[in-house]
């Protein structure tokens, strides 16, 4: 591989390592609130259900700023936008660790969500600029895997740190680490070469944002997305309060829910690339996730770990299928791929934020975990009926669903 904007290609491994670390810390800040909601409620002298507003504010900001991040990246540079993202995320996370008022906390988690949105798709666009061919595919896979590792670290480490040093310290770790990696990224990430190709114009952007295929794919798996986020947020409290697990045991169980997505994602991509029935693959995966959630209140302790494995692997498999589908249609080129993914994420995260708020406020707030798992199990499956219409959105000579 040649140089990037005059910098030697030998710098790229350092840049890639920096992006991986940023991705893992980014994931930590996605999952560091959920495991300590009960403690935060005591700190803020608020009902536990009110902490669901913090989860909602974060998710709503992530969803609302996905598309602006993609467009801003096209208009400026992915490097600039991703650097702004990690800086905003770190500042918001650090501030949220220091406040003692619930609504100040909610506001700052909204800021964290803005930073997360500004980092995600521009960082993936950076990988597109840095790597070509098979190396790009490998880079994407490892980059996405870093999210699972960071999330697993958060759900295990956050309750342990909170138990030992307090909730503020548990949150402060993520914020300070993000600010540190922002400074490191500023130094290490090479600028990208200005492309001689014409950037996607308003027509291409509009065509992507109005794509029926993308909208139906996003909406049909919206419930799954909400459940995939919510279950790891509440499983620590469930394991401790209902099953009597220790802090380490509950965090370890939660880590399996999120980390084992690493195993399923390559499987989903592999199967989706070799079939014309991706719709069936999606339906099977969502049903398995639903069953794993509905089973949570009734399984003996020993089987909870196997259920966590099923949930994690199947969730990773579903995302592998979902994100591959748009790339198989000629209507979506490389330049708009990040915007396509941003649209899917934006729809799912904004819609999912309200589902997470509803389930958390009503069921977690009242300590009704059976109702909580039942709610997210049903939410997971309900929108799947939209896949019945997805065939109508396909081009006439292309059949992948």
């Amino acid at each position: 591989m040649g140089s990037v904007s005059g910098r030697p290609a030998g710098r790229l491994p350092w840049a890639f390592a920096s992006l991986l670390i940023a991705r893992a810390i980014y994931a930590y800040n996605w999952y560091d609130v959920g495991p300590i909601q009960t403690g935060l409620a005591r700190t803020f002298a608020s009902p536990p259900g009110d902490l669901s507003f913090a989860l909602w504010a974060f998710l709503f900001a992530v969803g609302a700023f996905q598309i602006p991040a993609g467009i801003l990246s096209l208009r400026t540079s992915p490097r600039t936008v991703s650097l702004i993202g990690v800086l905003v995320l770190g500042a918001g996370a650090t501030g949220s660790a220091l406040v003692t008022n619930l609504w100040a906390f909610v506001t700052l988690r909204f800021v964290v969500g803005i930073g997360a949105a500004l980092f995600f798709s521009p960082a993936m666009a950076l990988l597109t600029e840095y790597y070509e061919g098979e190396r790009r595919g490998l880079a994407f896979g490892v980059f996405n895997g870093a999210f699972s590792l960071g999330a697993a670290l958060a759900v295990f480490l956050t309750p342990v740190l909170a138990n030992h040093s307090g909730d503020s310290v548990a949150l402060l770790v993520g914020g300070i680490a993000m600010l540190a990696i922002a400074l490191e990224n500023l130094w290490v990430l090479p600028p990208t070469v200005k492309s001689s190709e014409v950037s996607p114009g308003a027509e291409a952007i509009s065509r992507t944002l109005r794509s029926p295929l993308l909208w139906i794919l996003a909406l049909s798996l919206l419930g799954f997305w909400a459940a995939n986020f919510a279950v790891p947020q509440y499983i620590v409290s469930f394991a401790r309060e209902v099953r009597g697990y220790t802090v380490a045991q509950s965090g370890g169980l939660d880590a399996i829910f999120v980390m084992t997505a690493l195993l399923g994602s390559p499987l989903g991509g592999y199967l989706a690339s070799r079939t014309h029935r991706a719709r069936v693959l999606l339906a099977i995966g969502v049903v398995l996730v639903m069953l794993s959630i509905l089973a949570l209140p009734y399984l003996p302790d020993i089987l909870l770990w196997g259920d966590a494995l099923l949930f994690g692997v199947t969730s990773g498999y579903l995302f592998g299928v979902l994100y591959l589908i748009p790339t198989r249609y000629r209507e979506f080129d490389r330049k708009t791929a990040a915007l396509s993914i941003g649209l899917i994420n934006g729809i799912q995260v904004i819609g999912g934020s309200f589902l997470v708020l509803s389930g958390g406020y009503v069921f977690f707030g009242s300590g009704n975990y059976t109702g909580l798992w039942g709610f997210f199990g049903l939410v997971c499956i309900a929108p799947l009926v939209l896949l019945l219409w997805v065939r109508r959105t396909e081009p006439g000579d292309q059949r992948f669903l």
Side-chain angles (χ1 to χ4, degrees):
M1 180 180 293
S3 64
V4 177
S5 191
R7 293 193 181 191
R11 294 291 298 273
L12 291 184
W14 294 105
F16 182 53
S18 295
L19 284 174
L20 289 183
I21 295 170
R23 174 72 161 161
I25 300 171
Y26 158 95
Y28 184 100
N29 285 283
W30 269 72
Y31 285 94
D32 57 350
V33 171
I36 58 173
Q37 288 182 84
T38 303
L40 288 171
R42 289 194 294 266
T43 298
F44 300 138
S46 301
D50 285 1
L51 265 296
S52 298
F53 285 100
L55 300 181
W56 169 81
F58 169 76
L59 292 178
F60 186 84
V62 172
F65 284 85
Q66 285 282 330
I67 293 172
I71 295 175
L72 185 60
S73 180
L74 287 172
R75 299 301 188 218
T76 57
S77 80
R79 180 180 183 272
T80 298
V81 181
S82 67
L83 285 171
I84 293 173
V86 291
L87 185 61
V88 171
L89 195 162
T94 301
S96 71
L98 302 176
V99 298
T100 56
N101 175 271
L102 172 64
W103 301 111
F105 182 77
V106 169
T107 301
L108 286 166
R109 295 311 293 186
F110 184 86
V111 174
V112 174
I114 294 174
L118 293 176
F119 171 76
F120 174 64
S121 60
M124 295 196 76
L126 265 183
L127 293 178
T128 301
E129 297 292 340
Y130 290 163
Y131 294 104
E132 298 290 344
E134 293 182 359
R135 296 186 69 187
R136 180 187 297 164
L138 178 61
F140 268 49
V142 177
F143 182 75
N144 286 326
F147 183 89
S148 296
L149 293 177
L153 180 64
V155 297
F156 177 77
L157 188 60
T158 301
V160 173
L161 282 175
N163 189 58
H164 184 267
S165 303
D167 297 326
S168 294
V169 171
L171 295 176
L172 199 59
V173 166
I176 292 177
M178 201 81 249
L179 289 174
I181 201 64
L183 296 176
E184 193 270 351
N185 277 192
L186 179 63
W187 174 257
V188 172
L189 296 183
T192 57
V193 176
K194 185 69 176 178
S195 175
S196 60
E197 301 177 8
V198 178
S199 298
E203 183 181 349
I205 292 173
S206 176
R207 185 174 63 248
T208 301
L209 297 181
R210 291 183 291 106
S211 167
L213 172 69
L214 295 180
W215 276 86
I216 290 178
L217 283 174
L219 290 172
S220 63
L221 269 74
L222 187 155
F224 156 71
W225 191 96
N228 179 72
F229 176 81
V231 171
Q233 298 290 343
Y234 298 114
I235 199 68
V236 167
S237 298
F238 168 74
R240 295 195 67 190
E241 296 173 15
V242 177
R243 297 301 181 96
Y245 281 24
T246 66
V247 172
Q249 287 173 332
S250 59
L253 177 67
D254 205 352
I256 293 177
F257 272 93
V258 295
M259 188 169 60
T260 51
L262 279 169
L263 304 176
S265 185
L267 175 63
Y270 176 84
L271 293 176
S273 67
R274 287 162 173 77
T275 182
H276 295 284
R277 296 184 175 274
R279 179 171 57 167
V280 176
L281 296 180
L282 291 174
I284 291 172
V286 171
V287 169
L288 288 176
V289 170
M290 177 197 69
L291 293 175
S292 71
I293 297 171
L294 294 177
L296 285 171
Y298 310 107
L299 292 174
D301 287 348
I302 190 65
L303 293 183
L304 275 181
W305 302 86
D307 194 58
L309 178 65
L310 173 63
F311 177 96
V313 171
T314 308
S315 294
Y317 149 89
L318 278 169
F319 282 120
V321 176
L322 175 64
Y323 291 139
L324 184 72
I325 290 172
T327 69
R328 300 191 67 190
Y329 291 91
R330 62 173 177 269
E331 282 73 11
F332 305 103
D333 59 30
R334 179 178 63 85
K335 293 180 184 178
T336 57
L339 187 59
S340 299
I341 294 173
L343 176 62
I344 291 175
N345 278 342
I347 294 168
Q348 291 181 334
V349 177
I350 289 178
S353 71
F354 289 97
L355 296 174
V356 172
L357 174 62
S358 300
Y361 187 80
V362 174
F363 296 106
F364 175 72
S366 62
N368 181 3
Y369 287 100
T370 300
L372 182 71
W373 304 137
F375 174 80
F376 282 112
L378 295 178
V379 155
C380 191
I381 199 70
L384 200 62
V385 68
L386 291 172
L387 286 179
L388 296 174
W389 280 273
V390 80
R391 278 286 182 91
R392 301 179 185 180
T393 71
E394 292 182 306
D397 60 344
Q398 289 186 297
R399 286 284 181 257
F400 297 134
L401 290 164

